[in-house]
Amino acid sequence: MSTKKNYNHIENDKQYKGLNVNKGIDQPETFNEDSIQRFLKSKRKKIKTAADYVDGILAGNITTLSQAVTLVESSKKEHQEVAREIITQCLPYSGKSLRIGITGVPGVGKSTFIESMGKHITRQGGKLAVLAIDPSSERSKGSILGDKTRMEELSSDSNAYIRPSPSAGSLGGVARKTRETIVLCEAAGFDTIFIETVGVGQSETMVHSMVDFFLLLMLSGAGDELQGIKRGIMEMADVITINKADGNNIDKAEMARVQYLNALHLFPPTESGWVPKVLTCSAFHHIGIDKIWETIQEYISLVKKNGYFQHKRNEQSKFWMYETINDHLKSDFYQNNALKELTASFEKKVLGQEMSSFVAALELLKNYYQSKKNDQ
Ligand code: GDP
């Protein structure tokens, strides 16, 4: 190699005859101050204020509504602050919808029913929002409403808005988010809100405490052992509907209807003055859907006349105030990092019979209050 020779460019060595290195050109000035500013501005996302969200929601803008619901569902502190502001500003525009809870075991036909009833409502000029309470959805990968194809027609209806259940959090957390989403949907002009839940757990009690009307979907046949639906849930229902009353199932559905009607007679009279009804329908073939809608209207006009509608809403508002306090206190306690280790060690002591459950709890609470005082 000729590295010892002092060539400016190795390419200029004689051995590379035919190769000529020319002087390059200067870098053209593609970036100046103006263009950089323009570039940065285009990249900078416009941060919406709470007022921007509220304007969009009140104008019925679905994209803005969805973004606001995402803020409601977010666990980030800064999102929650904006969400609270949005809700406060939307509150005066809320409350005018009909809130309907729909429950039933998986497979009973909830989404088929919601689609059929939903189309019935939007055809008459109504605007429908469908929400869900399903605290198990993370585990079960979205057993309800997770998959929008379940309500294909309704999903593409411009007068319907479908929002799957917030997937994370405790039942109380999911319920709070759903209740706040109701406020936003109402402010956006939705006059009917469906809240769907699987009728197997505790979630129906939550749904019941946020709706005006509660509909329980049931099946005929299936052993008639109340299909895993607890008595308490039947007691909450304003209407029970036997679904899949079609084909050779019609007679069985009618028999089930009479059976459930007899079962309902055993319950004490309702506070609303309404006598719960049992109906049949075929969500799949759109049979009996109009009758159910009429019955819901009948119920609403009765309870609006006798004052129960407002009474129930007031009770629900109170309930949610206390429920939120409980929820907040609980999460504040369990998220307190200073207490985590102590809680774990007390748990061990309780299990090892070294400490009673009550003493452990009181000690932990004492520590919690002390840590709050220290924070001040
Ligand atoms: P969900 O789990 O409660 O939401 O139930 P789906 O709406 O997904 O329905 C479960 C199955 O029952 C689907 O295969 C539906 O097509 C069927 N189904 C729902 N409603 C009816 C009905 O009225 N009649 C009949 N024959 N089948 C139905």
Side-chain angles (χ1 to χ4, degrees):
M1 284 289 281
S2 52
T3 44
K4 281 186 190 149
K5 290 178 186 171
N6 189 19
Y7 291 117
N8 280 342
H9 286 285
I10 185 86
E11 296 91 336
N12 287 342
D13 192 323
K14 279 185 213 120
Q15 60 177 313
Y16 296 118
K17 261 184 201 152
L19 238 182
N20 237 344
V21 178
N22 290 325
K23 185 175 176 287
I25 56 161
D26 289 335
Q27 176 71 27
E29 233 182 90
T30 42
F31 282 113
N32 55 32
E33 189 58 25
D34 267 3
S35 65
I36 291 172
Q37 284 308 327
R38 250 183 286 127
F39 175 76
L40 288 179
K41 203 172 162 194
S42 73
K43 288 286 165 201
R44 219 177 286 139
K45 258 194 191 164
K46 186 181 174 297
I47 298 182
K48 275 195 195 141
T49 62
D52 293 333
Y53 284 107
V54 175
D55 286 348
I57 291 169
L58 294 182
N61 185 320
I62 297 297
T63 311
T64 313
L65 171 66
S66 283
Q67 290 167 344
V69 174
T70 304
L71 291 178
V72 164
E73 291 172 357
S74 167
S75 53
K76 280 195 184 149
K77 207 169 164 216
E78 63 265 33
H79 289 168
Q80 286 182 359
E81 274 163 21
V82 187
R84 265 202 296 277
E85 185 62 37
I86 300 169
I87 290 158
T88 306
Q89 291 185 34
C90 282
L91 216 48
Y93 303 95
S94 72
K96 295 185 193 85
S97 82
L98 201 56
R99 304 164 183 170
I100 299 170
I102 296 173
T103 195
V105 292
V108 71
K110 289 182 296 301
S111 49
T112 312
F113 177 85
I114 291 171
E115 169 127 307
S116 182
M117 179 64 96
K119 292 304 288 180
H120 182 71
I121 291 168
T122 59
R123 261 199 305 274
Q124 294 178 5
K127 288 192 75 184
L128 171 74
V130 183
L131 315 176
I133 289 201
D134 181 16
S136 65
S137 65
E138 201 169 30
R139 263 174 288 139
S140 56
K141 294 271 176 286
S143 61
I144 60 172
L145 281 184
D147 175 8
K148 276 202 177 182
T149 54
R150 289 171 73 226
M151 295 175 207
E152 236 166 57
E153 258 191 85
L154 211 53
S155 308
S156 56
D157 188 329
S158 61
N159 285 318
Y161 173 64
I162 302 178
R163 181 82 187 187
S165 171
S167 57
S170 61
L171 178 56
V174 171
R176 173 189 63 75
K177 290 167 190 170
T178 308
R179 208 174 129 85
E180 290 178 344
T181 304
I182 294 177
V183 170
L184 301 185
C185 289
E186 288 177 344
F190 289 97
D191 49 35
T192 308
I193 318 267
F194 282 174
I195 301 172
E196 179 191 5
T197 190
V198 184
V200 286
Q202 264 207 314
S203 48
E204 345 15 70
T205 320
M206 283 292 172
V207 173
H208 189 244
S209 59
M210 61 176 81
V211 296
D212 306 309
F213 183 92
F214 199 66
L215 178 76
L216 172 61
L217 288 178
M218 301 278 266
L219 292 173
S220 65
D224 286 340
E225 295 294 290
L226 304 187
Q227 300 160 48
I229 295 280
K230 294 190 195 83
R231 186 196 140 104
I233 297 168
M234 277 185 69
E235 226 166 319
M236 285 191 290
D238 298 301
V239 162
I240 293 177
T241 295
I242 318 294
N243 189 34
K244 308 197 185 182
D246 46 46
N248 50 18
N249 203 28
I250 292 180
D251 290 344
K252 270 195 263 171
E254 182 52 29
M255 268 161 56
R257 191 186 74 79
V258 176
Q259 264 177 10
Y260 286 119
L261 196 60
N262 290 335
L264 286 186
H265 283 321
L266 303 174
F267 294 152
T270 58
E271 212 189 323
S272 60
W274 168 259
V275 181
K277 305 238 176 323
V278 187
L279 304 169
T280 60
C281 78
S282 167
F284 192 80
H285 296 286
H286 315 291
I287 302 165
I289 300 298
D290 46 353
K291 172 78 183 150
I292 298 169
W293 187 234
E294 268 170 36
T295 311
I296 295 175
Q297 302 299 329
E298 240 177 76
Y299 169 88
I300 296 298
S301 80
L302 173 86
V303 293
K304 278 200 169 166
K305 238 184 258 161
N306 69 15
Y308 182 76
F309 185 87
Q310 197 49 49
H311 166 76
K312 191 175 176 189
R313 282 215 173 169
N314 293 345
E315 288 297 309
Q316 290 176 340
S317 294
K318 259 195 330 200
F319 171 82
W320 283 105
M321 186 179 94
Y322 292 112
E323 193 64 18
T324 308
I325 294 174
N326 295 346
D327 215 46
H328 190 85
L329 285 176
K330 232 163 74 185
S331 70
D332 195 53
F333 178 90
Y334 289 112
Q335 276 165 20
N336 190 323
N337 280 326
L339 285 177
K340 279 185 183 159
E341 257 179 56
L342 198 63
T343 309
S345 85
F346 279 18
E347 189 185 301
K348 272 198 196 120
K349 284 186 179 174
V350 168
L351 292 177
Q353 317 278 352
E354 293 168 54
M355 212 177 188
S356 89
S357 312
F358 303 106
V359 171
L362 292 176
E363 268 309 300
L364 285 169
L365 284 169
K366 211 155 76 186
N367 276 275
Y368 169 71
Y369 291 125
Q370 192 56 49
S371 79
K372 287 268 120 184
K373 241 187 228 161
N374 296 344
D375 283 352
Q376 280 169 3

